[in-house]
Amino acid sequence: MTTSVSDKFSNLNDNLAHAAKVLARSKHCQQVFEAIYRGKKAVKTQADLRKATGLSRVRILQVTTKLFANNMIRREKIGGQFVYKKGSDLFFSQYRDKILNLARNGKNLAKLPTKVNPRPSNNGGVVIKVPAKSFTIKNVTIDDIGSFSKVKRISQGQPMRPIAENKFKNGVKKIIGEGGKFTDWGGEKNDLFSTKIRLNGKRISGAFAFKGKGKKGILKPKDFGKNGDQIQRLFQSDAELFMLQYWNQLDQSVFEQMRTFAIAKSAMTGEIVHFGIIDGDDTQRLMLAYPAAFKGK
C-alpha cells in the first residue's frame, strides 16, 4: 500500500483530529499540552507545569499520563520525578496552534475532513483533498518479504504461543543470513539491523524491534520501551524497512503510530519507507516455515 500527500508529515487531518479530540475532552489537558509545547525549553518539570497551569501535582500526573498514553508527549523519570518533553517527530510542535484551535472549537473540528469523516460538499458529494506528492510509504507483511518466502506455504490463523525475544531474533538472523552480534541495551534504536533483507527482488536495509514472552496481552505503543518511545527510536535507524514483532496481538494504535513515523521518515529523507508488523499469527507461521532456524535456545 502506497500513500502520498504534500504536507510534511501527513495528509494530516486524521492525526490532527485525533489529537484535538484527546484535548477537547479536558481544558486541563489543553493547558498542560500548551505548556509543554510553549517555548524552547526542552525539558519541563512538574514544578514548571504547576507554575504554568496552576494545577495540582496529582492533576498534572493524571493529565500527563493521558497525553503520554496517546503519544502526544515524551516523559522520563529523573531523580524519582517525571519530567516531560515535546514529541521527537516535531509533529505536535509544528501543529500545536492548529490542534488547540480544533480542540477548543467543536464546529471547526466537526468540519475538518478526514478519512472516517469526509466533508460533504454543497451538492451532496464528498470533498477529499488530494495534495501533491511529498512522501511515499508502503505497508508490508512477512508474505511480501523475499527473505521469508517459505512463509507463504503456511496458512494464516495459527495459534499464538509465547516465544522468548532472543530466540525469535536469532531465528530471524539465521533466516536472512545475518551473522552480526546485537546486544540489547536501554537506548538502542533497534534489536536487529541488517542489509541482507530481500524485498521485491532487491537487497535492502531493515531494522527490527522484538517483544518476547515477558509481555502479555494486547500490546500498545506505551508498552514499547521503558519510556514508551521504542517505536520512535526504531525509525531513527538508517533503514528502508521497519518491522515490529510480538508473539501475541498488537493494538491497532501500534500500526497507526508506525505509519505516522513512516510518513515523517519518508518526508524528511525523500525515500520510500517500508513498514509492517509481525503479530502472533505471523510469528508462528514464520517459525513453522523455517523450523531449523528456531531450534534450540
Side-chain angles (χ1 to χ4, degrees):
M1 177 178 67
T2 303
T3 306
S4 301
V5 294
S6 65
D7 210 320
K8 184 175 181 181
F9 293 109
S10 72
N11 183 9
L12 281 186
N13 287 0
D14 290 273
N15 292 322
L16 290 171
H18 171 74
K21 287 175 182 177
V22 172
L23 298 182
R25 303 185 187 108
S26 168
K27 289 185 177 180
H28 290 171
C29 279
Q30 296 168 23
Q31 289 177 295
V32 173
F33 175 81
E34 187 172 16
I36 291 174
Y37 282 90
R38 183 190 301 123
K40 296 182 179 180
K41 188 175 180 180
V43 178
K44 302 289 177 67
T45 65
Q46 292 180 8
D48 291 332
L49 298 183
R50 289 179 65 186
K51 182 178 180 180
T53 65
L55 300 176
S56 68
R57 177 179 175 276
V58 172
R59 188 56 181 151
I60 292 291
L61 286 172
Q62 292 172 337
V63 171
T64 51
T65 296
K66 181 177 180 179
L67 295 176
F68 176 70
N70 282 277
N71 304 299
M72 296 175 69
I73 62 171
R74 292 183 292 163
R75 75 178 182 189
E76 297 176 8
K77 216 166 192 178
I78 298 178
Q81 296 288 326
F82 280 123
V83 297
Y84 307 95
K85 301 179 181 180
K86 302 173 185 179
S88 61
D89 63 359
L90 301 181
F91 168 74
F92 294 106
S93 294
Q94 183 171 339
Y95 292 98
R96 178 197 66 189
D97 294 340
K98 178 70 173 179
I99 291 169
L100 286 168
N101 176 271
L102 292 170
R104 292 164 176 166
N105 191 319
K107 290 183 179 180
N108 286 349
L109 180 56
K111 292 178 182 178
L112 184 71
T114 65
K115 291 179 181 178
V116 296
N117 184 33
R119 178 169 55 86
S121 65
N122 293 333
N123 61 9
V126 173
V127 177
I128 300 177
K129 296 183 179 180
V130 184
K133 179 178 180 179
S134 74
F135 70 75
T136 303
I137 65 172
K138 294 185 178 181
N139 172 225
V140 301
T141 70
I142 57 171
D143 298 76
D144 301 317
I145 299 174
S147 301
F148 302 149
S149 60
K150 291 183 180 179
V151 82
K152 294 179 180 179
R153 306 173 188 173
I154 310 299
S155 62
Q156 297 179 9
Q158 300 296 324
M160 300 182 184
R161 298 187 178 94
I163 177 174
E165 178 179 321
N166 199 52
K167 181 176 181 179
F168 190 83
K169 177 172 71 173
N170 287 334
V172 171
K173 285 177 59 181
K174 291 176 183 177
I175 294 171
I176 63 178
E178 178 56 66
K181 293 184 179 180
F182 301 87
T183 304
D184 289 341
W185 60 284
E188 78 273 15
K189 294 179 181 179
N190 54 69
D191 295 318
L192 172 63
F193 178 87
S194 179
T195 61
K196 296 178 176 155
I197 300 162
R198 299 199 70 83
L199 180 67
N200 298 325
K202 296 180 179 180
R203 183 169 157 176
I204 67 169
S205 57
F208 291 77
F210 304 106
K211 280 298 169 187
K213 61 183 179 180
K215 297 288 184 179
K216 301 184 186 302
I218 299 175
L219 220 63
K220 298 181 179 181
K222 65 182 179 64
D223 299 316
F224 287 96
K226 182 179 179 181
N227 298 312
D229 62 351
Q230 189 174 4
I231 297 177
Q232 298 175 32
R233 287 188 280 112
L234 177 67
F235 278 88
Q236 291 172 7
S237 306
D238 188 10
E240 301 163 77
L241 171 68
F242 302 85
M243 298 295 292
L244 196 153
Q245 179 271 341
Y246 175 53
W247 70 267
N248 204 337
Q249 181 180 348
L250 289 135
D251 190 78
Q252 179 180 334
S253 58
V254 172
F255 179 88
E256 293 170 347
Q257 186 174 109
M258 289 190 72
R259 182 180 182 278
T260 297
F261 284 114
I263 289 171
K265 184 82 171 182
S266 180
M268 288 186 287
T269 64
E271 304 290 337
I272 298 174
V273 172
H274 305 82
F275 74 102
I277 60 175
I278 304 174
D279 63 6
D281 175 23
D282 282 343
T283 293
Q284 293 301 317
R285 291 178 65 217
L286 199 61
M287 294 176 66
L288 290 170
Y290 298 89
F294 295 96
K295 284 184 178 179
K297 295 183 180 180

